[in-house]
């Protein structure tokens, strides 16, 4: 394509973008004025031109839901979430939408929750409506295959359904295509949550009987086994990848056999940058070798790359920081990258960024390497390393993300000082630390776990979860990390955890010479802060004011203190 052709193509693309924006604005106006038919037509016209317009899909889903068309709405919501999977991070509104669109499932959740720990018979769970009432719902299937279910009542309903499907498979009953596909979707959910659902001795006996039938296993039996344990761990598990299976079963085999085989092969190619011999580092590495954290399925999508300065302004509107010289091609270090979702997101969000992601765990790094999208592979490197030994790395960075690691070190301040040596003058660092005030329920649950002497095995994690939900500590179920085995282990069984207060953070930053820029969280909190200190004129960089705010609003940092700091210029 010559220069004239490129200019013509750019003009055509700009014109198409303007048309799409105009159509979207028209559809939104119609929706806001409750002209639902007009809004639906406008969104559909737009989607013919831009089928991957996630916001239009979501809005069309809302319109169709208001029109009483739940099936069509469900398909729109499912497609929107597939395009922007980071929306799964806030699971509560998704669960509410699902139950509104699928009343039989909502009713089943209420029945399962009320009867728990008793398992309702299948016909009572769905009150005669049958599996067909929910099994092919697009939004439910997307959720099951894309993200851990983070709702206690939904988890219990799915646990009962799993037991019923196992009973059918173990009894040799025929599985129609719809039932087999739903069983496979549920098996994929169980793999994603690392088999955190509770099981009974009767279920375990049925599973053992199916294992004894291997390798002479029917598709429905294999799908049932995959709901209770990873297929790659079964006797002759790898041979399952060589057989021909119906499509939904083959997808399960890919997830549970072929992909873990690929990760094992990738481990050997991951560079080892440092030795790992610190006692705490060794224990933390062992935990994440056994339970790579966190488990995720799809990387963030529909991400618009931004220059570094613009990225920081979006993360912290109104925050004051010195402009960074390397805003066009920043060098980024992700310290403690886990299974890779964060470095992948940064590589996509920061225009031109070159990212080095390190972690103690080869299992986590292999997962990350397998999941890295092809379009950023050339800009994202993984390596095994201990932060404490990085002083001799021989590299420096414009941006360092240490949002998931310092609180799991023997001395967080020591880790921060090492990272500070690698940060260029004027560079920025994103830090994450646990709030002692916000995690008071977590602290109480960790004390309960220690008192009852639960071990950090999968079986004990499952047992501890169910026991905790029967106590005054059951509100721990509002924490998202409660809903997978690796995340629950990280939450309640971690071998090393530090919690801090804002005054301690202020002292740490003063000691290291770092300047606090601001907290990064949803705009609602920023508005609440502004309203509280409107008369006093205290800025969003005032840590003393934030301490006062957290004291009045103790759940503010329920996830973590997530904040940005800047190193002084040379």
């Amino acid at each position: 394509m010559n220069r004239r052709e490129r200019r013509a193509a750019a003009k055509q693309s700009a014109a198409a973008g303007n048309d799409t924006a105009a159509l979207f604005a028209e559809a939104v106006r119609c929706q806001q004025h409750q002209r639902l038919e007009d809004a639906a037509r406008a969104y559909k016209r737009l989607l013919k031109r831009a089928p991957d317009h996630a916001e239009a899909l979501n809005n069309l889903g809302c319109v169709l839901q208001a029109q009483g068309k739940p099936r069509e709405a469900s398909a729109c919501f499912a497609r929107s979430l597939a395009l922007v999977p980071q929306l799964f991070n806030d699971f509560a509104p998704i669960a509410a939408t699902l139950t509104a669109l699928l009343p039989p499932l909502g009713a089943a959740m209420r029945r399962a929750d009320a009867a728990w720990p008793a398992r309702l018979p299948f016909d009572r769970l769905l009150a005669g409506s049958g599996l067909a009432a929910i099994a092919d719902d697009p939004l439910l299937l997307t959720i099951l295959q894309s993200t851990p279910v983070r709702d206690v009542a939904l988890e219990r309903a799915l646990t009962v359904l799993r037991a019923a499907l196992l009973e059918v498979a173990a009894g040799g009953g025929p599985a129609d295509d719809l039932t087999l596909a739903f069983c496979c979707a549920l098996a994929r959910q169980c793999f994603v949550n690392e088999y955190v659902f509770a099981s009974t001795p009767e279920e375990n006996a049925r599973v053992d009987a199916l294992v004894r039938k291997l390798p002479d296993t029917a598709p429905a039996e294999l799908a049932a086994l995959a709901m209770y344990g990873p297929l790659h761990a079964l006797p002759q598990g790898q041979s399952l990848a060589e057989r021909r299976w119906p499509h939904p079963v083959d997808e399960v085999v890919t997830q549970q056999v072929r992909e873990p085989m690929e990760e094992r092969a990738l481990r050997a190619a991951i560079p080892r940058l440092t030795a790992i011999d610190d006692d705490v580092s060794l224990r933390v590495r062992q935990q994440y070798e056994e339970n790579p954290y966190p488990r995720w399925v799809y990387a963030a999508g529909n991400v618009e790359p931004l220059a570094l300065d613009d990225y920081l302004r979006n993360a912290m509107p109104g925050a004051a920081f010195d402009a960074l010289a390397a805003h066009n091609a920043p060098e980024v270090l992700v310290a403690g990258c886990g299974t890779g979702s964060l470095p992948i997101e940064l590589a996509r969000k920061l225009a031109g960024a070159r990212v080095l992601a390190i972690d103690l765990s080869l299992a986590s790094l292999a997962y990350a390497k397998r999941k890295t999208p092809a379009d950023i592979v050339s800009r994202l490197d993984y390596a095994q390393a201990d932060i404490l030994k990085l002083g001799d790395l021989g590299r420096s960075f414009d941006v360092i993300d240490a949002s998931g690691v310092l609180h799991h070190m023997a001395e967080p301040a020591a880790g921060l000082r090492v990272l500070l040596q690698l940060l260029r003058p004027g560079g920025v660092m994103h830090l994450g630390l646990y709030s002692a005030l916000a995690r008071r329920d977590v602290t109480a649950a960790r004390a309960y776990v220690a008192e009852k002497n639960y071990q950090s095995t999968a079986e004990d994690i499952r047992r501890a979860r169910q026991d905790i939900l029967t106590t005054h500590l059951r509100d721990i179920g509002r924490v998202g990390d409660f809903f997978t085995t690796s995340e629950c282990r990280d939450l309640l069984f971690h071998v090393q955890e530090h919690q801090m207060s804002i005054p301690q953070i202020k002292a740490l930053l003063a000691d290291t010479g770092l300047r606090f820029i601001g907290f990064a969280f949803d705009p609602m909190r920023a508005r609440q802060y502004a309203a509280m200190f409107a008369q006093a004129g205290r800025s969003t960089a005032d840590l003393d004011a934030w301490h006062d705010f957290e004291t009045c609003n103790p759940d503010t940092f329920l996830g973590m203190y997530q904040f940005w700091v800047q190193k002084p210029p040379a």
Side-chain angles (χ1 to χ4, degrees), residues 344-357:
I344 290 169
E345 183 176 350
L346 286 174
R348 282 186 156 170
K349 282 187 174 180
L350 290 176
R354 178 81 190 187
V355 181
L356 171 63

Side-chain angles (χ1 to χ4, degrees), residues 171-473:
D176 57 77
D177 290 346
L178 184 67
T179 302
L180 181 62
F182 184 80
C183 187
C184 288
L186 187 50
R188 293 174 70 179
Q189 167 63 206
C190 293
F191 184 85
V192 169
N193 69 43
E194 300 155 301
Y195 302 94
V196 80
F197 290 178
S199 61
T200 64
E202 291 78 15
E203 289 172 84
N204 295 337
R206 290 188 175 111
V207 169
D208 290 342
L210 289 178
V211 170
R212 288 194 292 271
K213 291 188 66 176
L214 287 169
D216 185 22
T217 306
E221 293 171 331
L222 190 69
L225 282 173
M227 294 190 298
Y228 283 85
L231 295 180
H232 66 79
L234 291 174
Q236 304 148 340
Q238 293 189 12
S239 67
L240 298 172
E242 301 167 5
R243 287 181 55 181
R244 295 178 64 86
W245 301 100
H247 178 68
V249 180
D250 196 63
E251 288 186 322
V252 173
V253 172
T254 292
Q255 177 203 46
Q256 300 193 15
V257 180
R258 298 184 184 108
E259 290 177 351
M261 289 171 60
E262 182 182 351
E263 288 169 30
R264 287 195 292 273
L266 287 170
R267 287 175 66 107
I270 295 172
R272 279 73 159 174
L273 297 184
T274 75
I276 302 172
D277 51 27
D278 174 77
D279 179 62
V280 171
S281 298
L282 289 168
R283 288 190 289 121
V284 171
R285 181 183 66 174
Q286 184 61 31
Q287 173 172 331
Y288 292 127
E289 290 292 352
E290 295 170 357
N291 293 104
Y293 168 91
R295 284 287 178 174
W296 55 279
V297 180
Y298 296 111
N302 274 29
V303 175
E304 180 184 356
L306 296 171
L308 178 54
D309 287 358
D310 293 332
Y311 174 81
L312 292 173
R313 291 188 188 99
N314 277 11
M316 299 167 294
F321 59 91
D322 297 329
L324 286 97
H327 61 277
N328 288 325
E331 292 284 335
V332 180
L333 171 66
V334 179
C337 69
T339 50
S341 58
L342 178 57
I344 290 169
E345 183 176 350
L346 286 174
R348 282 186 156 170
K349 282 187 174 180
L350 290 176
R354 178 81 190 187
V355 181
L356 171 63
I358 65 165
D359 201 85
L360 293 169
S361 162
L362 283 174
S364 297
L365 290 164
Y367 188 92
K369 197 169 180 66
R370 179 180 65 79
K371 297 287 283 184
T372 300
D375 62 309
I376 58 171
V377 164
S378 64
R379 296 191 291 110
L380 178 49
D381 297 317
Y382 295 100
Q384 185 186 41
D386 188 341
I387 289 172
L388 294 172
K389 301 288 183 68
L390 280 180
D392 297 326
L393 182 62
R395 290 181 61 179
S396 61
F397 301 89
D398 304 291
V399 182
I400 295 179
D401 190 292
S403 58
V405 66
L406 296 180
H407 46 282
H408 293 318
M409 300 184 71
E411 296 182 36
L416 180 59
R417 289 190 186 94
V418 174
L419 294 175
L420 188 55
Q421 297 174 35
L422 306 179
L423 187 63
R424 293 171 180 166
V428 293
M429 192 180 298
H430 181 218
L431 300 177
L433 295 165
Y434 287 142
S435 163
L437 182 58
R439 285 175 73 87
R440 59 200 181 279
D441 290 347
V442 175
T443 300
R446 286 175 64 91
Y448 176 85
V449 164
E451 176 191 349
K452 298 295 184 181
N453 198 33
Y454 298 108
Q455 302 302 302
S456 57
T457 62
E459 182 179 355
D460 263 19
I461 291 170
R462 287 191 289 268
R463 188 164 60 91
R465 291 178 76 253
Q466 298 305 318
D467 290 348
I468 286 170
L469 290 173
T470 67
T471 73
H472 67 285
L473 301 169

Side-chain angles (χ1 to χ4, degrees), residues 89-120:
N89 294 338
D90 189 6
F91 192 81
I94 294 171
T97 298
L98 176 64
T99 54
L101 292 171
L102 205 56
L105 179 63
M109 289 165 58
R110 292 188 290 274
R111 294 187 194 101
D113 201 32
W116 196 265
R119 308 299 204 266
L120 290 176

